[in-house]
Amino acid sequence: MNRFTIRPEPHTQCSACPVRGLAWFEPGSQEDAARREQLRSTQYQAPTGQILFQEGDTLRRAYTLFSGWVIRYKVLKNGQRQVLSIALPGDFIGYRADFGAPLDYSAVAATPVVLCSFSEYNIETLMQDDPTLTRKLIQIQCQQAQECRLRLSYVGQAPALQRFAMFLCELTTRLSQRGIDITQPIDIPLNREDIADAIGVTSVHLSRISADLRKKQIVDCRYNRLIPKDLEALQRLAHDND
Amino acid sequence: MNRFTIRPEPHTQCSACPVRGLAWFEPGSQEDAARREQLRSTQYQAPTGQILFQEGDTLRRAYTLFSGWVIRYKVLKNGQRQVLSIALPGDFIGYRADFGAPLDYSAVAATPVVLCSFSEYNIETLMQDDPTLTRKLIQIQCQQAQECRLRLSYVGQAPALQRFAMFLCELTTRLSQRGIDITQPIDIPLNREDIADAIGVTSVHLSRISADLRKKQIVDCRYNRLIPKDLEALQRLAHDND
DNA sequence: CGTTAAGTTGAAGCGTCTCAAGATTGGTGG
DNA sequence: CCACCAATCTTGAGACGCTTCAACTTAACG
């Protein structure tokens, strides 16, 4: 497996981290964060397209995504890929209760990324020293499970247009939480196939659906750019009130 | 919301619990289990079809399923139901990191069930008293998230026949873990619609697929009974090696 | 047995997929 | 600055899988 490189010094300080409010280290004061920083092993960086880990690996670490976008996915035996989620800055990836067990999904960088790495041992130590971090970790797991259930429900039951609307709603909401103005055009580092694999359709069919949304003046999502036109209509479509 | 009834005394003892090995109280000795039992609020029972909780409820408790089957599901705004998972004895249902937040899914009894109830306060107390229970809880959450990711991947990407095979494989594996002989006919308290809603097809189409598997002498799954004929072929089908 | 709910089967229609040709974009070098 | 290229995206036409609706069959239960 390819290694990613250690990010050049100076590394970011947890006490001044712009995404801490969304991340595992959210609880506590700046001093708490600074103290914990000693147990953050290293910051890594990786280029677009770099596979961060693969299903089946036994990686004894987990990462907080500091910057960039990461695609979590599974590949079926028939070669089809299901995109499980899009990880954005602050998201915790690769964690398992048992680091001895192999990972059940893969992750690839959709942009250049910076990752804050935590070794198994340091995660254990952090949780023993600070029960609020244990609590936060449980909350993160619950949140991820909840998001997965939501995706399962719409991938299983909704027609393609509604699935796409739900995907875009979730994405814009999460981008908005990260301070991005979702009324302006947004660069989206996902191609047609990434999004198609997330909502369980082919990229060809996604193109047609995307054209529908454009003609209806709801969103224009083409060539890695998302131009919201009528976010309320998008939400109505996602939540099936029309 | 309907209440379920308190199970008549005597309640089961955690120290002698037949499903403890699969449940939250798994870690530790029989004495540990007996001590913890004081913080298990009550045992409840509910008949087939009873809704245990609904999406949107703010239930300040969680349950270990002691006996029976429970269907976890979400209902979309368009009325479609996605079955998220089938809970079997030992499974932990209704837990969230924040009991103040509303539930994101519903649960209904597929058989008469007995539930071991835990109040929010008692869960907190148990976890503070015993870090191994915190650890086990994290493990349960990770496991549930992992199962959800697996289902998302096959519901999103596999054709209906393979989805059904995967569903049956998962079910037989879990029944086998609970001591059921899966080479013999098994009563399955799920109707066509339950299974169809789990794998994201209509019950009509599931009937056709089920007929295929029967004709191929792989499994006979009709009228709430599962008769395995060739479990290896089923697994091959589920894992797409043919 | 007769009744009812659930499951099965058939036929037609729709949504999505496949394959293939054209259009758009961003990068590269003249 | 423009021509060209490769990769990605869009569009069209036909095929296939799944859904819908409706009639029939089977199982469960008094």
Side-chain angles (χ1 to χ4, degrees), chain B residues 45-60:
Chain B
Q45 60 188 9
T48 301
Q50 171 81 57
I51 291 175
L52 306 179
F53 51 78
Q54 274 192 300
E55 186 173 351
D57 290 349
T58 51
L59 183 71
R60 294 198 167 264

Side-chain angles (χ1 to χ4, degrees), chain A residues 191-192 207-208 222-223:
Chain A
N191 60 26
R192 279 268 169 271
S207 256
R208 296 184 216 280
R222 279 189 297 180
Y223 304 116

Side-chain angles (χ1 to χ4, degrees), chain A residues 20 22 27 34 43 86 90-91 93 136 139 142 158-160 206 209-210 236:
Chain A
R20 183 159 75 92
L22 298 156
Q43 276 190 328
I86 309 299
D91 286 349
I93 62 180
K136 180 68 185 176
Q139 195 196 310
C142 284
L206 177 56
I209 285 159
S210 179
R236 273 201 307 278

Side-chain angles (χ1 to χ4, degrees), chain A residues 35-240:
Chain A
R35 183 165 32 76
R36 293 173 196 149
E37 184 180 327
Q38 300 177 341
L39 290 169
R40 184 195 69 187
S41 314
T42 327
Q43 276 190 328
Y44 291 98
Q45 61 188 9
T48 302
Q50 171 81 57
I51 290 175
L52 306 180
F53 50 77
Q54 274 193 300
E55 185 173 351
D57 291 350
T58 51
L59 182 73
R60 292 198 170 267
R61 50 179 64 254
Y63 305 104
T64 293
L65 180 56
F66 176 75
S67 65
W69 292 37
V70 166
I71 297 175
R72 286 189 256 220
Y73 64 97
K74 277 176 85 80
V75 177
L76 272 71
K77 295 274 164 40
N78 62 17
Q80 304 258 73
R81 178 182 72 152
Q82 174 68 38
V83 168
L84 302 167
S85 69
I86 309 299
L88 298 180
D91 286 349
F92 201 45
I93 62 180
Y95 178 79
R96 285 139 301 141
D98 176 8
F99 281 103
L103 280 149
D104 72 307
Y105 66 92
S106 310
V108 63
T111 64
V113 295
V114 175
L115 301 162
C116 300
S117 173
F118 298 90
S119 73
E120 174 182 16
Y121 177 79
N122 286 353
I123 290 172
E124 297 292 346
T125 307
L126 281 161
M127 290 208 290
Q128 272 168 24
D129 292 356
D130 190 345
T132 60
L133 285 183
T134 305
R135 174 145 209 91
K136 180 68 185 176
L137 188 84
I138 293 177
Q139 195 196 310
I140 289 170
Q141 290 305 115
C142 284
Q143 169 83 13
Q144 289 189 3
Q146 183 167 334
E147 286 170 3
C148 188
R149 286 191 289 265
L150 179 61
R151 277 176 216 123
L152 174 57
S153 66
Y154 71 72
V155 168
Q157 301 300 329
L161 182 67
Q162 199 178 342
R163 283 189 234 176
F164 185 39
M166 288 183 141
F167 176 85
L168 289 177
C169 271
E170 191 199 317
L171 194 58
T172 50
T173 302
R174 293 172 63 218
L175 289 173
S176 173
Q177 285 168 0
R178 284 159 180 82
I180 290 169
D181 181 0
I182 54 171
T183 62
Q184 294 302 112
I186 307 162
D187 285 332
I188 304 286
L190 306 172
N191 60 26
R192 279 268 169 271
E193 201 154 351
D194 294 330
I195 301 175
D197 287 350
I199 66 176
V201 298
T202 57
S203 62
V204 174
H205 195 231
L206 177 56
S207 256
R208 296 184 216 280
I209 285 159
S210 179
D212 285 356
L213 284 187
R214 186 160 10 100
K215 279 171 203 145
K216 286 180 182 166
Q217 296 280 325
I218 295 176
V219 294
D220 186 338
C221 180
R222 279 189 297 180
Y223 304 116
N224 301 326
R225 190 166 299 114
L226 175 66
I227 306 175
K229 297 265 172 87
D230 186 347
L231 284 170
E232 282 189 25
L234 184 67
Q235 293 201 344
R236 273 201 307 278
L237 198 61
H239 302 115
D240 210 43

Side-chain angles (χ1 to χ4, degrees), chain B residues 191-192 207-208 222-223:
Chain B
N191 60 26
R192 279 269 169 270
S207 257
R208 297 184 216 280
R222 279 189 297 182
Y223 305 115

